[in-house]
Amino acid sequence: MLDLWELASIATRFALYLGVLTAVGTFLTTLLFQITGCRHFTVGFALLGIAATVMGFSLSGAALTGDAGGMVDFEMLGLLWSTSVGTAVALRLAGLGLLIVGLLLGRVGRILSMIGGGLALWSFVTVGHIPDRGSLLLSIALLFHLVAISIWIGVLTPLRSLALDPSRLSDAVRVGHRFGKIAAVFVPLLILAGVYMGYELVGSLSSLVGTGYGQALIIKVLFVASLLTLAAANKLRFIPQMSRGDPAAAGHLSKSISIEWSVIVTVILTTAALTSILTLPS
Amino acid sequence: MKHIMFTAMVSLWATSAIAHSPLEATVPANEATVSKTPSEIVMDFKGAIRLTRVSMTQGNQPSVSLDLDAFSGFASDYAIPVPPIGMGNYLIEWRGLGADGHPLKGSFSFTVK
């Protein structure tokens, strides 16, 4: 049974992934598709990422002692800081800080935000199950995975906002079309990277079905499969309908994106459990 | 949304229950019965770990923290001295930091007869 610290660890990891991926993804999306008006949204999720980073580090201290005292136990926190966990925390805080500062500076701050977003995503490649394997190819696969899913997550809210604004419907069609073209390339690569990482981490079919880690991975894959179905509906049905001027298409797209968000939240939750409490098959 | 989240939570709760321990072997062994009171407990992990807390509980008595001051850094084998103990059932609970940065925990028990 999970104890309080493990539940708190999953919740914090969930907030961390949601904050970082949404903030970095929304920033990258606004750059790629020239969308404006997402600054507050992006800063909000970056702040969520910073809060979750600090809370997660503190909770890791508590997990080492088994009581709340560990959250401020300098010996435990110092021990964590000296490991790759500390490196990841430093990179993440610096990255999200730069992302926010860059956003506040406007156009001139884009480079800062770009570096910050890169550092924040890179921080996930410095600690955890995949970096421990010491394989450059695996780390590259993970980084690509993070960049691709952050763009996927990042496009959802701006696209939904555009679709719901009748005066910006043409922008919604433009963004939807361009994202569809990019997704046609990165989604197959994303699947390939996911299968490769899954195979390297789990190793066998018996481990996939016979361990907690493998079973959680199956749950994640099932939800990702449903996500692909929704994305295909957006690309092949709702966006073309919108471009033809179907008045109901924007509403359908908006509803589809809302469902997509809920599935993404579930996938992130599953990932939080995979990376915080479940051990890899031996 | 609620149905999707609920399904995921229940599934994850179930799978987490079978996450296995990184502890390979202990002396005394888990659930073993020994006739001689051990002067130390040995914990052999599958990989390097930094133990941060180890406690020993006999029956309904308050748990006693074992001294880890002699250990520093990461290691896979620990021999931890225990205070003189009498007959009874003992539960050893441990926490530590894995080399991959994951906090780890586990427990084992033995009986002195």
Side-chain angles (χ1 to χ4, degrees):
Chain A
M1 187 63 76
L2 301 177
D3 68 17
L4 181 67
W5 303 115
E6 286 169 327
L7 283 174
S9 169
I10 296 175
T12 310
R13 196 69 71 107
F14 167 74
L16 173 69
Y17 293 156
L18 189 67
V20 174
L21 294 174
T22 308
V24 177
T26 307
F27 167 71
L28 292 176
T29 300
T30 55
L31 273 189
L32 278 172
F33 306 122
Q34 286 114 42
I35 304 170
T36 54
C38 300
R39 197 169 67 175
H40 289 111
F41 179 82
T42 310
V43 170
F45 275 94
L47 289 173
L48 174 68
I50 288 174
T53 300
V54 174
M55 181 57 82
F57 185 65
S58 193
L59 280 172
S60 294
L64 295 183
T65 61
D67 54 45
M71 293 179 76
V72 288
D73 185 320
F74 287 113
E75 186 191 349
M76 294 301 137
L77 296 179
L79 173 62
L80 280 165
W81 189 258
S82 68
T83 67
S84 53
V85 174
T87 308
V89 166
L91 282 171
R92 210 164 286 155
L93 290 178
L96 292 172
L98 281 176
L99 178 68
I100 292 173
V101 170
L103 285 169
L104 297 178
L105 292 175
R107 289 180 72 89
V108 291
R110 280 179 176 177
I111 297 289
L112 269 187
S113 293
M114 184 82 88
I115 294 168
L119 284 177
L121 291 185
W122 180 255
S123 70
F124 293 110
V125 185
T126 62
V127 66
H129 295 146
I130 285 182
D132 290 339
R133 295 298 173 103
S135 161
L136 180 64
L137 192 59
L138 260 181
S139 295
I140 290 170
L142 175 59
L143 188 62
F144 170 76
H145 185 80
L146 291 167
V147 172
I149 57 171
S150 71
I151 291 173
W152 189 337
I153 292 171
V155 80
L156 294 179
T157 300
L159 182 57
R160 185 169 180 271
S161 299
L162 292 173
L164 289 176
D165 183 349
S167 67
R168 302 184 72 185
L169 220 51
S170 59
D171 283 337
V173 172
R174 175 181 59 83
V175 171
H177 268 311
R178 288 192 61 189
F179 177 69
K181 280 183 182 171
I182 293 173
V185 176
F186 81 65
V187 167
L189 291 173
L190 195 58
I191 294 170
L192 202 63
V195 169
Y196 171 58
M197 289 190 292
Y199 175 74
E200 286 291 328
L201 291 177
V202 176
S204 69
L205 192 62
S206 59
S207 294
L208 184 66
V209 295
T211 65
Y213 192 94
Q215 289 162 2
L217 196 59
I218 291 172
I219 293 167
K220 181 178 172 179
V221 168
L222 290 176
F223 280 115
V224 170
S226 66
L227 206 54
L228 289 172
T229 310
L230 286 167
N234 294 347
K235 176 177 161 54
L236 302 173
R237 195 167 167 199
F238 303 135
I239 298 288
Q241 283 176 351
M242 277 172 65
S243 66
R244 289 195 296 270
D246 183 340
H252 290 145
L253 179 70
S254 167
K255 193 173 180 183
S256 174
I257 288 175
S258 296
I259 298 170
E260 216 173 320
W261 251 122
S262 64
V263 178
I264 282 172
V265 162
T266 311
V267 170
I268 293 176
L269 183 64
T270 312
T271 309
L274 276 169
T275 56
S276 56
I277 57 159
L278 294 173
T279 51
L280 284 175
S282 53
Chain B
M1 171 77 174
K2 282 179 185 169
H3 291 301
I4 295 169
M5 295 287 286
F6 181 73
T7 305
M9 288 295 286
V10 169
S11 306
L12 288 173
W13 194 279
T15 56
S16 66
I18 57 171
H20 55 84
S21 166
L23 192 54
E24 189 140 58
T26 63
V27 180
N30 186 30
E31 297 182 350
T33 299
V34 295
S35 55
K36 194 178 165 189
T37 57
S39 59
E40 63 180 23
I41 56 163
V42 175
M43 300 168 74
D44 178 13
F45 291 91
K46 289 172 185 166
I49 178 177
R50 169 77 184 265
L51 279 177
T52 53
R53 290 285 187 276
V54 180
S55 67
M56 181 172 72
T57 310
Q58 181 194 12
N60 295 324
Q61 301 296 313
S63 64
V64 177
S65 287
L66 300 186
D67 187 6
L68 297 173
D69 285 348
F71 307 100
S72 62
F74 288 78
S76 54
D77 300 320
Y78 286 85
I80 305 165
V82 297
I85 56 175
M87 288 189 288
N89 298 318
Y90 289 88
L91 173 67
I92 305 292
E93 294 175 289
W94 59 268
R95 286 177 180 269
L97 180 67
D100 60 0
H102 276 114
L104 301 166
K105 66 167 190 167
S107 63
F108 64 97
S109 60
F110 61 90
T111 303
V112 180
K113 252 185 187 171

